[in-house]
Amino acid sequence: MAEFVTVGRSDEVPEGEATAFAIGDQEIAVARVDGRLYAFDDICSHRRCNLALGGEIDGTTITCECHGSVFDMETGAPENPPATQPIAVFAVREADGEIQIER
Amino acid sequence: MTAPETIVVVGASLAGATAAATLRDEGFDGAVVLLGEEALPPYERPGLSKEVLRGEQAIDEHLVHPPEWYADHEIELRTGTRAVQLDASARDVVLAGGERLAFDRLIVATGCRNRTLPVPGSSLPGIYELRTADHAAAIHEATAGGARVVCVGMGFIGAEVAASLRTLGCDVTVVEVFETTLYRILGPDIGRVLERIHRDHGVTMVFNDTVASVEGDGRVEAVVTSAGRRIGCDLVVVGIGTEPSVELMAGTGLDQGSGIPVGPTLETEVPGVFAIGDVANHAHPVFGPVRVEHYDNALKMGAAAARNALGAGEVFADPHWFWSDQYDHQIQMAGFAPTWDRMVVRGSLEDRSFCAFLLDREGVVRGTVSLDHPRDVRRSFGLISSRVTPDPAALADPEVDLRTLVPAGEG
């Protein structure tokens, strides 16, 4: 059964920014846009760059700073090449000042 | 002009395939024909000097679209097909063999060819170039067991090939006509930072020298330079620049050595005929005439030309952006700065982590270059497009978000 796992504090993800958190050996990025949280695989499907680190957020998309791939943070779909494969997305919620991701 | 029924794209490349895809994305339901000389469906070239050359990835992983995608989108992809002549008055493209294809709109993405080494011995077996998947495979095969390689030219292709070959364990010597790596594009200061990175990785560098001849008994054995050096080697990889492939335009006056001239909307002087990607000499609204051989430009010009072929009339004003991956380092550059008067650095050349701003005499940011510091290049697009003259101290201050230096409504 799915469960929510706490990955960090709410204040670690300011409005308009993305922060990477580790769950085991997986790196998951959490972004906040207009107060809403998005959680997705932090590793770009093109050449494995970290998306949260330097990725540019515009609306519900994030642009990888390495080669310009754009992903929809809600669906994980690649919106602009060079990436052609989606990234995984995760359900995310906040409770008691903590960010929790569904596993 | 009336609405097009048939659009022909010459060049089954990233630019050409993107143009074809955009035509369908925009709802064009007429015929789309995509012609390519190579046997493969369109593929992306950045990996040729890196993952494909190193044998880490097959070319299949670099296809622009899966092979079946073209038929699925009713795009007639004709590989192994060479277009030889534009007949502007008949509005036909003539193929090798004489077949004629009528078009209402034509998008030309014929790219470039590599300059070859104009010296004695340059036809010996063991001399390689890099443009196609076949070239990358050939270099990989020749170097897989380790080899002594001379890379001629230390522009981006030479530098990436040298890095990949060192990663494969080859013994690499570079012969470069200028005083350091990437000199023509990045200038001496940044060039030397890259030079040191290559030296740290064990590349032997020979600067201010050119290849005078290649020697060997039936196969490459040594390169002899103008300064008299004799460098023993098993193979030579030549990366000394390109020439635009403009032959299709013979007879139109557009087959120019500087590329096919196109206006701001990527249309040539022949109505309904567009040129994009490496071959297009574009009247850029900010930079003036510029021909760009990079991935992002191919992608964006392909999309823009397709929309304009359908009547959008969109001026192509992209600030231009590219990257180069070498070892575990990445260079990024935006803008167009053939020369500059002043360089302002955010970060440190010494520490190999910086964004450099290339300013003209008036203080306009003409280009930005980063090493392992990409965010600021991507944030400089507005500065470059708006041609504002920011305070150099703000450029140098890592705390200043470059996007805030562009007046609202500009960039």
Side-chain angles (χ1 to χ4, degrees):
Chain A
M1 204 177 101
E3 57 172 325
F4 279 87
V5 178
T6 297
V7 294
R9 297 186 319 274
S10 290
D11 62 8
E12 291 180 84
V13 187
E15 171 61 29
E17 294 187 22
T19 305
F21 299 97
I23 302 183
D25 57 1
Q26 194 171 16
E27 294 166 71
I28 293 176
V30 178
R32 188 190 302 274
V33 179
D34 293 334
R36 192 184 150 183
L37 291 179
Y38 299 87
F40 47 93
D41 193 340
D42 187 44
I43 307 301
C44 179
S45 65
H46 173 235
R47 292 288 177 272
R48 305 192 56 76
C49 290
N50 294 88
L51 290 169
L53 183 75
E56 208 68 74
I57 294 169
D58 181 14
T60 62
T61 66
I62 187 163
T63 302
C64 179
E65 68 171 359
C66 287
H67 306 103
S69 298
V70 179
F71 298 95
D72 185 319
M73 296 189 293
E74 187 164 6
T75 65
E79 298 278 310
N80 195 69
T84 56
Q85 299 301 311
I87 52 173
V89 293
F90 307 93
V92 57
R93 71 182 186 192
E94 277 179 299
D96 302 327
E98 292 182 333
I99 292 171
Q100 302 180 329
I101 288 170
E102 189 178 30
R103 300 299 296 153
Chain B
M1 276 187 287
T2 54
E5 292 175 8
T6 300
I7 300 180
V8 174
V9 182
V10 181
S13 56
L14 176 64
T18 302
T22 304
L23 291 171
R24 290 295 183 236
D25 287 346
E26 294 289 315
F28 176 65
D29 60 2
V32 177
V33 184
L34 179 57
L35 305 172
E37 276 188 40
E38 292 181 61
L40 285 167
Y43 56 89
E44 301 184 347
R45 296 188 197 272
L48 298 185
S49 55
K50 298 176 282 280
E51 296 85 356
V52 178
L53 190 150
R54 294 193 298 261
E56 297 161 5
Q57 292 179 352
I59 193 65
D60 298 3
E61 297 182 54
H62 295 257
L63 298 180
V64 179
H65 300 289
E68 66 279 7
W69 181 92
Y70 297 90
D72 289 348
H73 290 77
E74 295 187 45
I75 291 165
E76 188 188 349
L77 171 63
R78 293 178 63 173
T79 53
T81 302
R82 194 158 66 90
V84 293
Q85 179 74 57
L86 162 64
D87 184 335
S89 53
R91 294 187 81 75
D92 283 344
V93 172
V94 185
L95 307 184
E99 185 186 347
R100 283 175 169 265
L101 288 180
F103 64 83
D104 299 309
R105 302 285 185 279
L106 178 69
I107 298 175
V108 179
T110 45
C112 287
R113 65 173 59 84
N114 295 331
R115 287 201 187 111
T116 53
L117 211 51
V119 302
S122 61
S123 57
L124 280 171
I127 300 183
Y128 294 83
E129 61 173 326
L130 181 57
R131 175 155 299 273
T132 67
D134 287 346
H135 292 152
I139 296 171
H140 178 74
E141 196 172 314
T143 56
R148 295 170 307 150
V149 185
V150 171
C151 289
V152 185
M154 205 52 171
F156 283 109
I157 293 297
E160 291 189 359
V161 168
S164 286
L165 293 179
R166 279 302 299 147
T167 304
L168 288 176
C170 293
D171 175 27
V172 178
T173 302
V174 163
V175 178
E176 162 61 43
V177 64
F178 288 116
E179 66 185 56
T180 188
T181 56
L182 295 161
Y183 176 86
R184 195 173 59 79
I185 304 291
L186 303 182
D189 298 328
I190 299 174
R192 283 198 189 89
V193 177
L194 274 301
E195 174 189 333
R196 284 193 290 273
I197 288 172
H198 282 277
R199 286 196 195 280
D200 287 352
H201 284 86
V203 175
T204 303
M205 309 285 219
V206 174
F207 293 120
N208 299 309
D209 203 354
T210 56
V211 173
S213 65
V214 182
E215 295 183 348
D217 184 8
R219 171 163 192 93
V220 169
E221 291 171 11
V223 161
V224 178
T225 73
S226 304
R229 294 179 175 93
R230 189 172 191 285
I231 307 164
C233 59
D234 305 309
L235 65 144
V236 176
V237 182
V238 180
I240 55 172
T242 65
E243 291 164 357
S245 299
V246 296
E247 292 73 11
L248 185 75
M249 311 304 281
T252 64
L254 302 177
D255 54 335
Q256 298 177 10
S258 53
I260 300 170
V262 295
T265 64
L266 307 173
E267 193 167 11
T268 68
E269 285 178 10
V270 181
V273 175
F274 298 79
I276 57 173
D278 296 12
V279 79
N281 187 8
H282 173 226
H284 192 286
V286 177
F287 305 140
V290 60
R291 192 173 67 76
V292 175
E293 300 173 24
H294 291 293
Y295 178 96
D296 199 53
N297 182 61
L299 196 67
K300 288 180 175 159
M301 274 192 171
R307 291 191 292 267
N308 288 346
L310 300 176
E314 173 186 317
V315 169
F316 187 77
D318 188 78
H320 292 303
W321 169 73
F322 68 86
W323 74 84
S324 174
D325 295 333
Q326 300 172 29
Y327 309 105
D328 52 355
H329 298 285
Q330 189 189 48
I331 302 164
Q332 290 196 8
M333 184 166 190
F336 176 60
T339 62
W340 57 91
D341 292 275
R342 180 179 177 193
M343 186 168 88
V344 174
V345 176
R346 171 181 289 205
S348 159
L349 298 188
E350 183 75 13
D351 295 343
R352 301 176 180 177
S353 175
F354 61 85
C355 178
F357 302 85
L358 310 177
L359 310 185
D360 67 13
R361 196 173 304 133
E362 282 76 43
V364 174
V365 179
R366 304 304 298 263
T368 48
V369 183
S370 70
L371 178 64
D372 297 339
H373 194 102
R375 170 176 274 204
D376 284 325
V377 166
R378 297 194 58 89
R379 287 187 169 183
S380 72
F381 293 170
L383 274 179
I384 291 166
S385 293
S386 62
R387 297 181 59 90
V388 291
T389 52
D391 177 5
L395 296 177
D397 181 352
E399 296 303 314
V400 174
D401 183 335
L402 296 173
R403 295 171 298 186
T404 66
L405 301 178
V406 184
E410 292 191 52

